[in-house]
Amino acid sequence: MNTALSWIKAYVPDLDCGDQEYCDAMTLSGTKVEGYVRRDKNLEKIVIGQILSIERHPDADKLIVCQVDVGGRTIQIVTGAHNVKEGDKVPVVLDGGKVAGGHDGAPLPQEGISIKAGKLRGVASEGMMCSIEELGSDRNMYPEAPENGIYIFPGNAEVGSDAVEALGLRDTVFEYEVTSNRVDCYSVLGIAREAAATFRKDFVPPVIAPTGNGEDVHDYISVEVEDKDLCPRYLARVCKNIKLGPSPEWMQRRLAASGIRPINNLVDITNYVMEEYGQPMHAFDLDTIAGRKIIVRRAKDGDEFQTLDGQMRKLDSQVLMICDQEKPIGIAGIMGGENSKITDDVHTVLFESACFHGPNIRKSAKRIGLRTDASGKFEKGLEPHNAEDAVNRACQLIQELGCGEVVGGMVDVSAVLPPRKTLDFQPEKYNRLLGTSVPEEEMLAIFDRLGIGTEAKPEGGVKLVIPYFRQDLNCDADMAEEVARFYGYDKIPTTLPRGEAAMGKLSYKLRIEQKARDIVECCGFSQGMSYSFESPKVFDKLLLPQDDELRRTVTISNPLGEDYSIMRTIPLHGILTSLAVNYNRRNKNVKLYELGNIYLPKALPLTELPQERMQLTLGFYGEGDFYTMKGVLEEFFRAVGMGGKPEYDPQAGKPFLHPGRQASVKYEGVTLGYLGEVHPEVSDNYEIGAKTYIAVLDMPSVEGFTTFERKYAGVPRYPAVARDLSMVVPKEVLAGQIEEMIRKRAGKLLESCELFDIYEGAQIKPGFKSMAYSVTFRASDRTLEEGDVSAAMKKILNGLEQMGIELRQ
């Protein structure tokens, strides 16, 4: 985005600053200036002179000798230009002055060209008359300049005055780096508003006066929008009795400073409004529109269309077109058509000012190989309300410049326009985010300079009313950033960051995950990573029922392929696939783990982002069994401070696990995950020919029971007392149930309870198994007596009896 400082000052009249000062201040306030160029660079001592007389050079046929009035005195200049005559007013470089360069598009010298008085073929010459190229510009920007020869000023130019000023070259053009979220700054008004806020000056935008005669625009044109999703608003106004001609000098100079070639008043007005408001517009010759009707619709696959540049463009059904009742007349948001262009015979003009779907314009421009200034703006996502101001401004300029007569009314075809956003004014939060203590009054003053209004809330307090053009302001952090920009980043004090990350420490969640990595890697597992994208066929491979909740997935709108078309809801596919690759490459004893998210939709179709839950997934085949995996989990639980005993429920009900070798992992009644041997059919589906074991822990569930606080316990001072229990136990009774009963009944004296033998065979009666435990008691403050241990053992034996367990004789 380039703007001339003079154009900015038109809307910030009191702005008085140097180029570097402007550059630094705007960059510090968030509107980054990449650089600037003085348009009068290397132009010195150049005035407007009037040719009083012309004589032939006595010694050169192609030279003439001119007497030139430069204001108060007459000088003699020898020149080879033949487009001048007596009475012409021309730019004159005086002795000791400088010009920027030369003719024929040659590169401009870095330091310019100095002009000295001297003699040409023996005749004195005290200066030089200049072409527009020698003044550092060209005929594209000054179309009134002759193709070859000296620039001629209009007759009302003041002799002796500054020629550079008269040409509008006493100006600076600034180049900005505008981020894509600041669509409002892709306009001169947007930059001017930022400048006014930065320098604390008044912002004076142009006042748009009502225009239009007593006629009704609907009698001239009608509009139908078939694809409202791609065109949320389409506005049309009509101007008749058009008089084509050059636009006024001030408009030409502003356009030229922005790098836009002046053409004629009609084209210049549309370009001027595009730069001023950031809203591209297009003008159609109304007489070329069949049926006097505009239809906004998609093209058809295979269509071809000739654009204004004379090129044939191949179209498809994704390209939005502007059509009449018979034919396309323009590619929406990109370029108009050759069949509806403005010619010298135009009498009635249709002004189009619309809002198109930004992503579609970007893709269409890329698809047809045509990117324009208009498409570059539309693809950012323009605000629908701005289109109305822009078209009214264009009609106002038509009327003010005498280019034609504006027809009353406006055709407005639009969807429901979004209301103005409001946010609660929370100065304390802004200061907390920034580490500042900016007063409320100063914050409100900043917001007022940015056009952000305020309203009192019925329940008390203030809410901020966001203007339509600030689409980037959506939350408290955005408002805090606005305060920071104009309060001054250089005024924000240095403060230490808060929270666990303040001194380079990982967050609690990441510390738990890091501990999980450390433990499982210590147990011989290697980390793997797999895609979060999966195929719906995964659920069939895992034997999940058709009505299983895990089949409710987030579908990817633009998948890499069917095998990556949904977001995973279960983490097993990646691990099992990796194990299968290792097995089929004859790798033995493979242990893998993964820490990755699953994605559980809260509702389908999606109304909000899915729930993401981190899962620790373990898998191995080779040496080890169910209890090996169980031991890894319990080692992790101990490492993260879970002092209690986890429970294992064999009724896990996981169809992808062996029905007799699986368990849910529970802690204090909360299910943390599951483990078990992979179902043989699932192993076959993944082509794994060995017993495979997996475990999955839901890390958010685990995190609630963890702690890194540790309390030191000294070496026991008093001896322990051990008792062994050898029991005949019904098969349906689980070891965990026995241990839970022993812990409850033994009380505080119990130090440990360890299963050291289990046996099933002919020596044990059918339906039972033999189990043996070592139970250890210890007191921290005394030596236990026999009575203490006997009382605890009696409670334990009573509990065993209630469970149908007999002591083995």
Side-chain angles (χ1 to χ4, degrees), residues 696-730:
V696 176
L697 289 180
D698 182 58
M699 296 302 284
S701 300
V702 172
E703 185 179 332
F705 299 105
T706 60
T707 178
F708 286 107
E709 294 182 3
R710 299 290 186 268
K711 293 183 179 179
Y712 170 74
V715 177
R717 298 176 57 189
Y718 301 98
V721 178
R723 293 288 187 270
D724 290 344
L725 290 172
S726 182
M727 304 167 288
V728 178
V729 182

Side-chain angles (χ1 to χ4, degrees), residues 119-157:
K119 292 184 177 182
L120 286 176
R121 291 290 187 95
V123 177
S125 182
E126 302 173 73
M128 184 181 82
M129 293 183 282
C130 305
S131 67
I132 197 64
E133 288 80 8
E134 288 165 329
L135 295 173
S137 190
D138 56 48
R139 293 186 66 250
N140 284 327
M141 301 308 170
Y142 290 83
E144 74 277 13
E147 186 173 354
N148 292 296
I150 304 302
Y151 182 85
I152 309 297
F153 283 102
N156 59 356

Side-chain angles (χ1 to χ4, degrees), residues 220-221 282-294 305 308 322-330 336-350:
Y220 284 80
I221 192 71
H282 190 70
F284 295 102
D285 185 341
L286 187 62
D287 294 329
T288 66
I289 298 177
R292 295 293 179 97
K293 183 174 183 179
I294 293 290
F305 179 71
L308 277 171
I322 309 299
C323 308
D324 59 22
Q325 285 191 330
E326 297 177 356
K327 60 189 180 300
I329 57 175
E338 181 73 17
N339 56 8
S340 61
K341 69 179 182 180
I342 301 296
T343 65
D344 293 342
D345 298 327
V346 65
H347 297 289
T348 308
V349 166
L350 170 68

